[in-house]
Amino acid sequence: MNEKMRALTDRLELAGGLSLQEYKELIDGRDEASAEELARRAVNVRKRVYGEDIYVRGLIEISNICRNDCYYCGIRRGNAACERYRLSPDEIMECVDEGYKLGFRTFVMQGGEDAWFTDERLCRIVKGIKESHPDCAVTLSLGERSPESYRRLRDAGADRYLLRHETADSIHYGRLHPPEMSFEHRMECLRQLRGLGYQTGCGFMVGSPCQTTSCIAKDLKFIETFRPEMCGIGPFIPHKDTPFRDMPAGTLELTCFLLSVIRLIHPYVLLPATTALGTIHPEGRERGILSGANVVMPNLSPAAVRSKYELYNNKLNTGCESAQQLADLKKRMESIGYKVVSARGDAAKPTLIKEKKNGCI
Ligand code: SAM
């Protein structure tokens, strides 16, 4: 690794952040040696905070009906070829019960912005899960809703909310979304979620169309200042029935590099090795963990609908993506020196880590 890259890496690790220009230099100057060094440091930092534990989240894709028309997304409103489905509250509860038996203690309800899921219906589902499984965390990933809706869901017991910001560059945002969608509103939603006390997750796609190094530098700066409890990044993968069908996919290499950078910016963040990473490479998720990630999100949705939640082509929906193969996932993680644990897996707090280091907990 050359002197400049070493100096940037040292500064990133010590200060937990860089200037926009430095982030750009770090990304543009990366090579195999600097990626390896960053991953080594990211893994050390992650081990200090979370040990060898890997948290699993049971992902339930509750609906692929969406009012939005994001240019990159396979379940966009304008995709007439998408076969739509919606899980009933009973079906969702069955997925949760099944997942609980397998050891899952966090359930993520994700879906398109489907108006059928009113606040009343969602609150009933969230309360139902919390009543039958009080030791579990409920994460929602249901897009942009009103402040009142976020408040009601929080009051009903939802613990976490994932809302990728998609890009921290407003012009780039406009290239990924139709004019009726607003960058300011997306960011405002994230601030509202944080204000309501949710453990809040942001994130972006790596290699999305029109993304420049300067866009990624802004994403990293946003993560550095917003300090989300969770951050989901994965490669963009084209879907054949979207306007971005012919665009190239993001790479495993850059995604892993950025996972390491994010871990060094924010040691306590819950960082998933995403399904998209597992889709572009057979060992994508292991590579993500070895770059600093500490979460995996196997799919608990009923097998019959799994292939219909197709955000991008060839989305991984068998093998380790099915909870029934949890044992297999555990083995894969063990083979790289990690341990899948049955725990809520909340974001660590700096005070707890100090105690843990002293062997107090
Ligand atoms: N509707 C909710 C929302 O807007 O947050 C959650 C569902 S949305 C489909 C979940 C995430 O999938 C998006 O935030 C986006 O980053 C990711 N995604 C969509 N299309 C993708 C693609 N073609 N490649 C990779 N990721 C994609």
Side-chain angles (χ1 to χ4, degrees):
M1 180 155 80
N2 68 36
E3 276 314 300
K4 187 167 179 201
M5 288 299 279
R6 182 165 301 282
L8 286 170
T9 307
D10 287 347
R11 239 173 81 65
L12 175 66
E13 188 173 8
L14 285 173
L18 297 173
S19 68
L20 282 175
Q21 180 57 30
E22 288 170 327
Y23 278 130
K24 272 166 62 180
E25 287 167 11
L26 186 73
I27 298 162
D28 287 334
R30 75 189 189 281
D31 58 10
E32 224 177 293
S34 56
E36 268 174 25
E37 177 61 16
L38 240 86
R40 193 185 62 75
R41 295 191 195 198
V43 163
N44 279 342
V45 165
R46 194 266 325 276
K47 282 195 173 163
R48 251 189 351 251
V49 180
Y50 292 106
E52 272 83 28
D53 291 356
I54 299 295
Y55 297 136
V56 281
R57 314 320 196 177
L59 180 65
I60 306 169
E61 295 160 336
I62 66 171
S63 169
N64 70 355
I65 297 167
C66 191
R67 68 177 169 149
N68 292 328
D69 224 9
C70 309
Y71 300 145
Y72 46 85
C73 187
I75 64 167
R76 66 198 297 267
R77 182 184 71 222
N79 180 8
C82 174
E83 201 185 319
R84 305 287 168 173
Y85 76 89
R86 173 187 296 132
L87 297 185
S88 68
D90 284 348
E91 285 172 314
I92 296 171
M93 225 28 235
E94 277 165 32
C95 294
V96 170
D97 290 340
E98 171 83 359
Y100 189 85
K101 281 189 226 143
L102 287 161
F104 287 91
R105 293 296 177 267
T106 285
F107 298 98
V108 182
M109 283 199 275
Q110 189 182 82
E113 293 190 17
D114 177 354
W116 189 87
F117 282 103
T118 57
D119 294 345
E120 286 70 25
R121 286 182 171 130
L122 278 175
C123 284
R124 220 172 299 137
I125 297 168
V126 171
K127 274 190 191 142
I129 298 175
K130 297 295 276 195
E131 274 163 23
S132 32
H133 304 295
D135 53 337
C136 290
V138 171
T139 304
L140 300 177
S141 178
L142 299 169
E144 297 175 34
R145 301 178 71 92
S146 69
E148 173 63 7
S149 172
Y150 288 148
R151 190 190 58 72
R152 290 180 66 180
L153 292 165
R154 177 88 183 110
D155 289 348
D159 303 275
R160 311 184 185 130
Y161 205 105
L162 292 172
L163 186 76
R164 288 186 176 186
H165 63 284
E166 310 297 359
T167 170
D169 180 301
S170 59
I171 294 173
H172 185 216
Y173 190 91
R175 302 238 157 91
L176 299 178
H177 300 95
E180 68 271 16
M181 291 182 74
S182 136
F183 171 74
E184 285 73 25
H185 188 251
R186 191 98 183 156
M187 291 303 202
E188 181 52 30
C189 285
L190 277 169
R191 285 189 288 271
Q192 285 160 3
L193 291 163
R194 161 63 54 80
L196 286 162
Y198 282 97
Q199 292 177 43
T200 307
C202 64
F204 62 96
M205 289 175 289
V206 176
S208 61
C210 306
Q211 184 182 59
T212 61
T213 312
S214 152
C215 297
I216 302 177
K218 287 185 187 171
D219 288 321
L220 297 175
K221 190 45 99 183
F222 175 64
I223 290 162
E224 183 194 312
T225 49
F226 186 68
R227 302 196 73 69
E229 280 79 13
M230 307 168 284
C231 183
I233 69 159
F236 160 75
I237 304 174
H239 186 292
K240 65 178 174 33
D241 299 314
T242 65
F244 289 159
R245 62 181 68 83
D246 297 322
M247 297 292 178
T251 64
L252 174 74
E253 175 272 316
L254 181 54
T255 308
C256 287
F257 185 83
L258 292 173
L259 284 170
S260 301
V261 174
I262 293 169
R263 173 63 62 200
L264 291 178
I265 292 175
H266 192 1
Y268 312 106
V269 74
L270 295 163
L271 198 56
T274 57
T275 305
L277 202 54
T279 299
I280 56 164
H281 190 283
E283 277 161 20
R285 284 176 308 178
E286 286 89 334
R287 299 275 288 273
I289 300 294
L290 294 170
S291 303
N294 69 325
V295 173
V296 277
M297 298 169 68
N299 203 327
L300 288 180
S301 309
V305 301
R306 231 176 272 162
S307 63
K308 295 184 189 155
Y309 197 81
E310 200 189 33
L311 308 180
Y312 42 82
N313 288 134
N314 306 315
K315 181 168 164 264
L316 198 62
N317 67 354
T318 54
C320 283
E321 280 305 287
S322 104
Q324 290 76 3
Q325 262 89 27
L326 188 62
D328 185 23
L329 176 67
K330 284 183 179 167
K331 261 197 226 139
R332 290 174 74 137
M333 292 297 137
E334 274 162 23
S335 76
I336 55 167
Y338 291 83
K339 186 169 86 251
V340 169
V341 293
S342 178
R344 271 176 58 117
D346 290 300
K349 295 212 169 65
T351 48
L352 282 182
I353 289 145
K354 234 168 132 197
E355 287 169 22
K356 197 171 187 177
K357 265 168 79 185
N358 297 338
C360 298
I361 56 167

